[in-house]
């Protein structure tokens, strides 16, 4: 509230205000990176990052991701080329990435899906071998670490989303985080129409600015971030307890040696489970439990990309397999007390073949 009162007293509502600058400083310090450039959402941040590192032609991305990863390229006239994932981690398979490289490839966007790090070292080595730009879509991975380093400092830059559906939000919002001074400077210009100073436009640009009220929300949520993660972690282990021993379904693990945000509780349904994944979702919805299929059926099956690559499925067998198995279960601080037990009991009943 104090932050908002200050904002109204200053009447400084947007255009790189003091709350945005404070938010950027705190995010950069939290992640241990040199620069945080806050944006109006993660998709615009991706679009700007793609331009700031000079991607063109084809860029390799997973199909098993939120469609914004692919759209941020396609929307700007670049071609997203889909590489398959590792069925165990759900992240890009480096060998599959190598197979998709052509003379037109200019970059790779790895996604840290579910907040679990993409194969960073392998992608860095591919990028170095072929002279490609490497970005990470870290929309799921705020507050997560990889090999003891916070996610945010890998590749040329990483992109965060602070959308309201994320465990940490600024209503709508996003950011580019990077240790690269040049990328940071270019992204800052692009975010504000290319203005260097009043009346002085030195770069093409767009409107990617975060507004003060969103930064205030972010600052308040930064104060609460440890409590939110604790609550997500408690939910995750409660789920483990109630569904861990049910045959035919399994929860995706987090590496407890890393920092995780436990934002996504990902259930995989084996073909041996007596009820199909879609039936399970229907049963849960009938009980007003908003479990969701996720990233189904994969970007390559969505109309714009189906039209572009009608046969993509041939090189994406694990994408389809995983997209057909996954359910994301409800979590977060607003989950009612007994929700996880109820979901566990329903899944146990379904495991006995009663839909
Ligand atoms: C993997 C991924 N990339 C990009 C985005 C886009 O972020 P935003 O909704 O902030 O534009 C999201 C989330 O919504 C996402 O999950």
């Amino acid at each position: 509230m104090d932050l908002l009162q200050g904002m109204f007293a200053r009447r400084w509502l947007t255009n790189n205000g003091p709350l945005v600058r404070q938010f950027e400083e705190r995010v950069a310090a939290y992640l241990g990176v040199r620069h945080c450039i806050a944006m109006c959402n993660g998709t615009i941040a991706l679009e700007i990052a793609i331009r700031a590192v000079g991607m063109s032609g084809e860029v390799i991305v997973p199909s098993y991701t939120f469609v914004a990863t692919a759209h941020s390229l396609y929307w700007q006239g670049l071609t997203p080329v889909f590489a398959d994932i590792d069925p165990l981690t759900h992240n890009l398979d480096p060998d599959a990435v190598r197979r998709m490289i052509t003379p037109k490839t200019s970059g790779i966007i790895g996604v840290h899906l579910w907040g679990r790090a993409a194969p960073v070292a392998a992608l860095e080595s591919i990028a170095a071998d072929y002279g490609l730009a490497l970005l990470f879509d870290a929309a799921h991975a705020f507050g997560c670490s990889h090999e003891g380093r916070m996610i945010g400092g890998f590749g040329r830059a990483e992109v965060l989303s602070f959308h309201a559906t994320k465990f940490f939000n600024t209503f709508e919002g996003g950011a580019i985080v990077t240790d690269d001074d040049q990328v940071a400077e270019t992204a800052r210009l692009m975010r504000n129409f290319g203005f260097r100073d009043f009346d002085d436009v030195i770069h093409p640009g767009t409107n990617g600015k975060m507004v003060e009220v969103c930064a205030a929300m972010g600052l308040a949520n930064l104060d609460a971030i440890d409590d939110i993660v604790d609550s997500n972690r408690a939910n995750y282990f409660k789920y483990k307890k109630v569904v861990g021993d049910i045959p035919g379904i399994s929860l995706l693990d987090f590496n407890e040696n890393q920092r995780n945000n436990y934002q996504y509780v990902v259930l995989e349904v084996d073909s041996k489970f007596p009820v199909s994944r879609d039936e399970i979702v229907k049963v849960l919805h009938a009980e007003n439990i908003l479990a969701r299929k996720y990233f189904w059926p994969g970007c390559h099956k969505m109309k714009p990309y189906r039209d572009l690559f009608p046969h993509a499925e041939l090189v994406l067998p694990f994408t389809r397999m995983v997209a057909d198995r996954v359910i994301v279960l409800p979590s977060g601080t607003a989950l009612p007390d007994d929700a996880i037990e109820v979901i566990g009991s329903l899944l146990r009943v379904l495991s006995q073949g009663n839909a």
Side-chain angles (χ1 to χ4, degrees), residues 62-332:
S63 166
Y64 194 61
T65 175
F66 184 57
V67 73
T69 317
H71 274 357
S72 57
L73 291 161
Y74 199 43
W75 185 250
Q76 308 195 86
L78 281 75
T79 307
V81 171
F82 300 117
D84 210 6
I85 51 169
D86 176 333
L88 295 179
T89 65
H90 301 184
N91 271 316
L92 272 179
D93 168 7
D95 290 332
V97 170
R98 277 184 195 275
R99 287 197 293 273
M100 302 313 287
I101 293 173
T102 75
K104 290 189 194 151
T105 309
S106 69
I108 304 168
I109 304 181
V111 179
H112 304 300
L113 207 79
W114 315 131
R116 297 158 13 125
V120 170
L123 295 179
E124 277 171 348
S125 137
I126 297 171
D129 287 352
Y130 291 87
L132 305 176
L134 177 63
L135 291 175
F136 288 101
D137 177 341
H140 295 185
F142 189 56
C144 301
S145 71
H146 173 58
E147 295 185 346
R149 261 177 72 193
M150 292 302 275
I151 285 178
F154 297 104
R156 289 286 299 287
E158 305 210 44
V159 172
L160 303 164
S161 164
F162 307 131
H163 184 257
T165 51
K166 302 290 186 279
F167 89 105
F168 171 89
N169 83 87
T170 59
F171 304 118
E172 288 266 8
I176 296 176
V177 283
T178 181
D179 284 323
D180 186 315
D181 297 345
Q182 182 63 50
V183 170
E185 193 186 327
T186 309
R188 279 190 190 285
L189 285 169
M190 288 176 167
R191 172 183 71 170
N192 188 27
F193 312 99
F195 275 103
R196 178 170 57 186
D197 208 341
F198 292 126
D199 310 323
D200 189 13
V201 172
I202 59 162
H203 208 286
T206 184
N207 184 355
K209 297 187 300 300
M210 177 179 273
V211 295
E212 288 287 272
V213 72
C214 292
M217 180 70 163
L219 287 166
N221 278 336
L222 274 176
D223 290 336
I225 196 163
D226 291 340
D227 292 341
I228 307 173
V229 170
D230 285 351
S231 157
N232 280 351
R233 188 171 187 279
N235 287 344
Y236 174 75
F237 280 101
K238 218 163 162 190
Y239 270 120
K240 268 249 168 246
K241 204 160 136 210
V242 299
V243 306
D245 65 337
I246 301 179
I249 53 175
S250 53
L251 282 184
L252 206 68
D253 282 327
F254 290 98
N255 178 349
E256 288 298 313
N257 295 320
Q258 299 303 326
R259 285 178 71 157
N260 300 298
N261 58 29
Y262 301 93
Q263 176 173 205
Y264 294 95
V265 179
V266 181
L267 188 77
E268 287 192 78
V269 184
D270 197 276
S271 55
K272 290 189 212 94
F273 197 74
V275 179
S276 73
R277 186 273 308 266
D278 289 5
E279 277 301 320
I280 297 177
V281 172
K282 259 194 216 155
V283 169
L284 295 176
H285 281 193
E287 300 297 327
N288 209 17
I289 296 163
L290 294 182
R292 294 261 318 271
K293 298 196 258 189
Y294 245 72
F295 307 134
W296 186 87
C299 296
H300 70 288
K301 297 290 279 184
M302 294 173 177
K303 176 147 182 12
Y305 305 110
R306 209 169 58 220
D307 291 350
L308 198 61
F309 300 120
H311 306 297
E313 186 130 312
L314 294 174
V315 293
L316 300 170
F318 292 124
T319 298
R320 189 54 199 254
M321 189 185 103
V322 171
D324 283 345
R325 294 165 65 111
V326 160
I327 301 176
V328 171
L329 297 172
S331 188

